[in-house]
């Protein structure tokens, strides 16, 4: 992974300063599940490729993930933002810590949380601190996708909070709903997405295309 990072910096100008600041916190141990670091690239026709990494908050085990995430945020200058993180209770856990490999002011730090067995109201609470939050939007979205207020036990809902330099509150919040676990087939999903995206014609068009396969 270190060799890949050096190559991204040399060949594409990826900024590694923030990654270096927290890398030792996420160093894999015998307790690390699944992965240590993932790389991702964003490709667009009009701009050079941009890169990000996903680090594992559970590198020292699930129980240490909260302290590890807060330590990493503090090192990066986001100590005050720790109060905005979802409270992990029950089976909730921090699962990804993502960094944009960019020196731009808008470069993001993103915290992903898994919420096994959550209710729609609990997902709403997890994202309520974000700037521009619309009351009940996340709750209604989950209920529309599952046609139920939960609990969502088949596959967990993920939330993502995104912070940028100078922000205490999350700049954005995203809900990742695993709709495939709450519908028998794409034909059942299509009317749900159409209803939810009724005010977004472009989104509806994409949903219809995806449903047709």
């Amino acid at each position: 992974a270190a060799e890949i990072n050096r190559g991204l910096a040399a060949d594409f100008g990826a900024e590694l300063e923030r990654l270096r600041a927290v890398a030792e916190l996420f160093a894999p141990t015998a307790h690390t599940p699944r992965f240590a670091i993932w790389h991702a690239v964003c490709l667009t026709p009009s701009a050079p490729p941009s890169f990000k990494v996903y680090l594992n908050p559970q590198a020292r085990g699930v129980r240490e993930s909260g302290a590890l995430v807060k330590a990493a945020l503090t090192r990066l200058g986001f100590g005050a933002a720790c109060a905005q993180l979802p409270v992990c209770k029950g089976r909730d856990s921090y699962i990804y810590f993502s960094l944009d490999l960019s020196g731009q002011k808008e470069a993001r730090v993103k915290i992903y949380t898994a919420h096994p067995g959550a209710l729609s109201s609990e997902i709403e609470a997890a994202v309520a601190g974000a700037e521009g939050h619309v009351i009940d939007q996340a709750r209604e979205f989950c209920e529309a996708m599952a046609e139920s207020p939960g609990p969502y036990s088949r596959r967990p809902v993920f939330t993502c909070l995104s912070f940028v330099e100078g922000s205490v509150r999350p700049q954005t919040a995203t809900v990742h709903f695993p709709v495939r676990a709450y519908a028998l087939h794409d034909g059942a999903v299509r009317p749900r997405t159409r209803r939810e995206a009724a005010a977004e014609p472009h989104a509806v068009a994409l949903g219809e295309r995806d449903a047709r396969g």
Side-chain angles (χ1 to χ4, degrees), residues 69-81:
V69 165
K70 292 174 182 177
L73 284 173
T74 300
R75 284 195 185 186
L76 296 174
F78 293 93

Side-chain angles (χ1 to χ4, degrees), residues 7 51 60 136 153 166 177 184 188 204:
F51 299 89
R60 302 178 185 180
D136 282 338
S153 301
F177 194 92
L184 292 176
V204 172

Side-chain angles (χ1 to χ4, degrees), residues 167-190:
S167 67
V168 174
R169 297 175 62 190
Q171 185 186 48
T172 60
T174 308
V175 174
H176 299 264
F177 194 92
V179 68
R180 65 187 171 115
Y182 299 91
L184 292 176
H185 48 73
D186 286 353
V189 173
R190 183 178 178 184

Side-chain angles (χ1 to χ4, degrees), residues 120-137:
S120 60
S121 58
E122 293 171 320
I123 301 301
E124 173 72 22
V127 300
E131 296 180 12
H133 172 69
V134 178
I135 295 174
D136 282 338
Q137 187 177 57

Side-chain angles (χ1 to χ4, degrees), residues 149-172:
Y152 305 120
S153 301
R154 296 174 194 165
R155 290 185 70 89
V157 179
F158 293 175
T159 58
C160 173
L161 301 183
S162 177
F163 300 90
V164 296
E165 183 180 335
S167 67
V168 174
R169 297 175 62 190
Q171 185 186 48
T172 60

Side-chain angles (χ1 to χ4, degrees), residues 25-26 56-74 82-83 85-89 92-95 97 111-113:
L25 292 174
F26 295 93
N56 192 342
Q58 299 177 21
R60 302 178 185 180
V62 175
R63 291 183 179 180
E64 298 296 322
S65 62
L68 194 155
V69 165
K70 292 174 182 177
L73 284 173
T74 300
C82 293
L85 295 175
V87 176
C88 286
K89 55 185 179 180
D92 291 359
S93 62
Y94 301 115
I95 52 170
F97 186 101
I111 314 299
Y112 291 78
T113 307

Side-chain angles (χ1 to χ4, degrees), residues 16-105:
L16 303 181
E17 181 178 353
R18 296 195 304 170
L19 176 59
R20 293 189 182 110
V22 300
E24 60 92 9
L25 292 174
F26 295 93
T29 69
H31 303 287
T32 305
R34 295 186 61 202
F35 77 102
I37 182 172
W38 290 337
H39 293 80
V41 58
C42 180
L43 302 173
T44 61
S46 58
S50 60
F51 299 89
K52 68 186 80 172
V53 293
Y54 292 85
L55 303 170
N56 192 342
Q58 299 177 21
R60 302 178 185 180
V62 175
R63 291 183 179 180
E64 298 296 322
S65 62
L68 194 155
V69 165
K70 292 174 182 177
L73 284 173
T74 300
R75 284 195 185 186
L76 296 174
F78 293 93
C82 293
Q84 300 295 327
L85 295 175
V87 176
C88 286
K89 55 185 179 180
R91 293 187 294 156
D92 291 359
S93 62
Y94 301 115
I95 52 170
Y96 308 127
F97 186 101
S98 177
L99 292 172
D100 288 345
L101 299 183
S102 167
Q104 300 297 315
K105 187 174 181 179

